[in-house]
Amino acid sequence: MVATLWVVSCRELPDYLVGDNVIARVGREDLTREDIAATLPAALTGEDSVAYVKAYVDKWFVRQLKIEEAAALFESSEQDIEKLVEDYRQSLLTSRVDQHYIDQRMEKEVTDEQIAEYYNAHKSDFTLDRTLVKGRVLRFDAAFRQSKKLKEQMKKALASAEAEKSFSDVCEKQGFELIDSRAEWVNFSDFLAHLPVLAAEDNEPLLDKLGVQEMKMGKDCYYFDFTSVCRKGNVAPLEVVSDNIRRILLTRRRAEVIRTHEEEIFRSAEAEGRLRRFGFEQEGANQTEQAAE
């Protein structure tokens, strides 16, 4: 086995690859100047370009040596490997054809109406495996003297935007920690992570209570409430599964585009007489004769 490399540094690329067109060889496989020139980044010059070429050639050496080793190790299964390569080539080509027609024909916009329609028709497919909630948690110093008033403000905050702003301003002014999860569904366990409870406890009874609830732990006091609850085993809210439904609808559209194109090319080829079935015609005739007897 012979391995040779000729590289001469030069400022202009790829002219520094001088001499014989073949710059590297492993066994009967050659690496040419054209092979490397096609991969060279345009911005490389001088020592950087030489370093790049050396690294590329070293990797090429290793790749060719592995191929040689594979040929020796798996000589008996060469036909199987060739079949795998051909299967992959055919799969790659058919996939590119599918993608071509998907890009041309598929409607990629999924409307809210289409998502809602699918959701309403398949609600049983979207059963929750966990409890989801919307709500708020307020943590403040237990020594705060106006805690009762603060609790009333938190209750009233649900009634109007003005009351909501007043409550938020008080929390911000006093430096209280307010976790507001009313805009989107969160896991009940994540909501509880902001409260002084143990995960191992049965905290489900908290969901049955209405209004603002209270807890204390050391110097901290907690007010919290649930504005919406969707328990485990119930149908998931539409907003939670809408992205999943969008993916389902797009996957269906892809499959429909592919199926339609396959039917088109099949019918066209059949009409042109380019499809031949050998043996089926005779078998069909024999079955007809047997049925007649």
Side-chain angles (χ1 to χ4, degrees), residues 206-238:
L206 296 175
L207 300 171
D208 298 325
K209 299 177 182 179
L210 301 177
V212 177
Q213 302 181 58
E214 180 178 345
M215 287 184 180
K216 288 185 179 180
M217 173 67 76
K219 296 182 179 180
D220 291 327
C221 185
Y222 299 82
Y223 289 158
F224 63 97
D225 59 9
F226 301 104
T227 55
S228 298
V229 175
C230 195
R231 296 176 186 268
K232 178 180 178 180
N234 291 345
V235 176
L238 173 58

Side-chain angles (χ1 to χ4, degrees), residues 77-89:
S77 58
E78 183 177 353
Q79 290 184 347
D80 294 337
I81 294 175
E82 291 298 326
K83 184 178 184 304
L84 289 174
V85 171
E86 179 58 22
D87 288 346
Y88 176 75
R89 187 186 76 86

Side-chain angles (χ1 to χ4, degrees), residues 115 119 125-128 235-248:
I115 291 175
Y119 172 79
D125 294 340
F126 302 109
T127 303
L128 282 174
V235 176
L238 173 58
E239 59 194 280
V240 173
V241 297
S242 60
D243 287 343
N244 187 32
I245 293 175
R246 179 176 285 103
R247 287 190 291 269
I248 291 172

Side-chain angles (χ1 to χ4, degrees), residues 117-132:
E117 181 181 359
Y118 184 91
Y119 172 79
N120 291 326
H122 302 83
K123 284 187 176 181
S124 60
D125 294 340
F126 302 109
T127 303
L128 282 174
D129 60 356
R130 64 198 184 283
T131 296
L132 302 178

Side-chain angles (χ1 to χ4, degrees), residues 26-201:
V26 174
R28 297 181 179 181
E29 298 296 325
D30 292 340
L31 181 68
T32 67
R33 288 193 301 164
E34 288 79 4
D35 294 333
I36 290 191
T39 72
L40 282 172
L44 287 183
T45 58
E47 293 182 359
D48 291 339
S49 63
V50 174
Y52 174 87
V53 172
K54 184 180 185 305
Y56 184 92
V57 172
D58 287 347
K59 289 181 179 179
W60 181 85
F61 280 150
V62 172
R63 184 168 64 250
Q64 296 305 317
L65 291 171
K66 281 187 174 182
I67 292 172
E68 281 191 351
E69 185 177 17
L73 288 172
F74 312 119
E75 182 178 3
S76 61
S77 58
E78 183 177 353
Q79 290 184 347
D80 294 337
I81 294 175
E82 291 298 326
K83 184 178 184 304
L84 289 174
V85 171
E86 179 58 22
D87 288 346
Y88 176 75
R89 187 186 76 86
Q90 293 182 10
S91 176
L92 181 62
L93 289 174
T94 55
S95 295
R96 291 185 66 179
V97 170
D98 289 344
Q99 191 61 49
H100 171 77
Y101 285 96
I102 287 169
D103 293 339
Q104 281 193 340
R105 299 179 178 181
M106 193 178 94
E107 180 185 355
K108 296 179 176 62
E109 181 65 26
V110 180
T111 66
D112 292 340
E113 291 75 14
Q114 290 168 333
I115 291 175
E117 181 181 359
Y118 184 91
Y119 172 79
N120 291 326
H122 302 83
K123 284 187 176 181
S124 60
D125 294 340
F126 302 109
T127 303
L128 282 174
D129 60 356
R130 64 198 184 283
T131 296
L132 302 178
V133 299
K134 290 183 178 182
R136 296 172 297 177
V137 175
L138 173 64
R139 182 173 67 87
F140 61 96
D141 193 330
F144 183 61
R145 295 183 178 181
Q146 298 184 340
S147 58
K148 290 184 178 180
K149 181 179 179 181
L150 181 64
K151 192 172 186 178
E152 288 300 316
Q153 287 177 312
M154 186 171 180
K155 291 179 181 178
K156 294 178 180 179
L158 295 173
S160 68
E162 183 179 353
E164 173 68 34
K165 186 178 186 310
S166 176
F167 172 68
S168 298
D169 288 345
V170 170
C171 294
E172 184 177 355
K173 181 179 179 180
Q174 297 294 334
F176 299 153
E177 181 183 22
L178 178 62
I179 295 93
D180 193 339
S181 303
R182 293 174 298 168
E184 60 182 12
W185 292 96
V186 297
N187 291 339
F188 183 39
S189 57
D190 293 338
F191 186 91
L192 292 175
H194 301 292
L195 294 172
V197 297
L198 297 176
E201 294 179 347

Side-chain angles (χ1 to χ4, degrees), residues 261-276:
H261 173 247
E262 289 175 350
E263 290 179 353
E264 290 173 352
I265 59 175
F266 187 89
R267 288 196 300 266
S268 175
E270 195 171 39
E272 295 170 2
R274 294 193 291 121
L275 305 183
R276 296 289 304 277

